[in-house]
Amino acid sequence: MPLVAAAVCPHPPLIVPELAGAAAPELDELRAACDAAVAGLLAAEPEVIVLVGCGPETTRFNPADHGSLRQYGLDRYVRLWKVNCAGGERLPLSLTVGAWLVGRSRTELPRLARSVAADASPAQCVELGAALGTQAEPRTALLVAGDGSACRGPKSPGYDDPRAEAYDDGVARALADADAEALLDLDPALSAQLGAAGRAPWQVLAGAVRATGGDWRGELRHYSAPYGVAYFVSSWVPAVADGGPR
């Protein structure tokens, strides 16, 4: 089984304490949940960590590519993986924050990254996920970066939408239950209207799990919408690796 574990984390720039400033403590619980999710990936003893997040297009990145937080007020580069080769400033925000989260663990494991276009169809997401989930080797852990709706209240980035809470609650249930089919049922049009940047990456995860096969167990570590945007943290592992089927 090449896919040994998966985790879902959000990618708000403010999760980086130096960016949040005085507001940093407000996201302490979110950071702790993300740290626990990354630790869960490492506990599965993968040989490589693959980051998946939303971007302008579906593409792959070189191990030395990096992202920048300058446009958010912090002059810092975040490298995908420390290697002695040339890379470019190519990572979108989702993968930049994902790389930052993995870097906090101080793991020396190799890191790869794939972006999926925000408007990718569910079928395209499944295809990308299947390519990740059917590799014969190495043992792979997925870190999937994606936010929920951005319409949770009048001060949210997308203003208030009465459909947003029910949408996010459904995502939370799917992540808690490791329900790949429920994630694949998320409507791309509604997701776009609600500003849910995680829709396509979550469906890549669903495609990877479906291709890997077997029963999976989910744990929802965090669910909140502190700034009008829904944040989820979840861990998925094969059920046989956790004492048998649920």
Side-chain angles (χ1 to χ4, degrees), residues 3-137:
L3 183 61
V4 297
V8 169
C9 292
H11 52 76
L14 289 181
I15 201 171
V16 180
E18 295 91 331
L19 261 176
E26 296 176 6
L27 294 183
D28 280 348
E29 290 186 9
L30 177 61
R31 290 187 200 93
C34 290
D35 288 343
V38 172
L41 293 182
L42 299 178
E45 300 182 346
E47 296 170 308
V48 62
I49 298 176
V50 177
L51 282 68
V52 177
C54 187
E57 60 181 352
T58 299
T59 189
R60 65 179 61 204
F61 298 89
N62 297 320
D65 286 337
H66 56 270
S68 173
L69 296 170
R70 285 179 298 176
Q71 64 178 321
Y72 303 100
L74 182 64
D75 189 13
R76 176 184 297 181
Y77 291 105
V78 180
R79 190 176 294 276
L80 179 58
W81 184 37
K82 296 180 180 179
V83 294
N84 295 321
C85 60
E89 186 179 328
R90 301 179 59 220
L91 299 183
L93 174 64
S94 61
L95 297 176
T96 298
V97 173
W100 180 83
L101 289 171
V102 175
R104 281 166 61 86
S105 72
R106 301 191 181 278
T107 179
E108 296 297 327
L109 285 175
R111 269 92 83 187
L112 304 175
R114 305 284 188 272
S115 65
V116 56
D119 60 354
S121 69
Q124 291 170 326
C125 295
V126 167
E127 182 179 5
L128 176 57
L132 298 173
T134 57
Q135 299 179 92
E137 58 182 24

Side-chain angles (χ1 to χ4, degrees), residues 182-209:
L183 293 180
L184 291 175
D185 283 341
L186 293 174
D187 179 61
L190 175 60
S191 301
Q193 292 166 13
L194 296 178
R199 190 275 305 174
W202 299 331
Q203 291 183 332
V204 172
L205 166 62
V209 166

Side-chain angles (χ1 to χ4, degrees), residues 150-162:
C151 300
R152 296 288 294 272
K155 295 184 178 181
S156 65
Y159 196 61
D160 186 46
D161 191 309

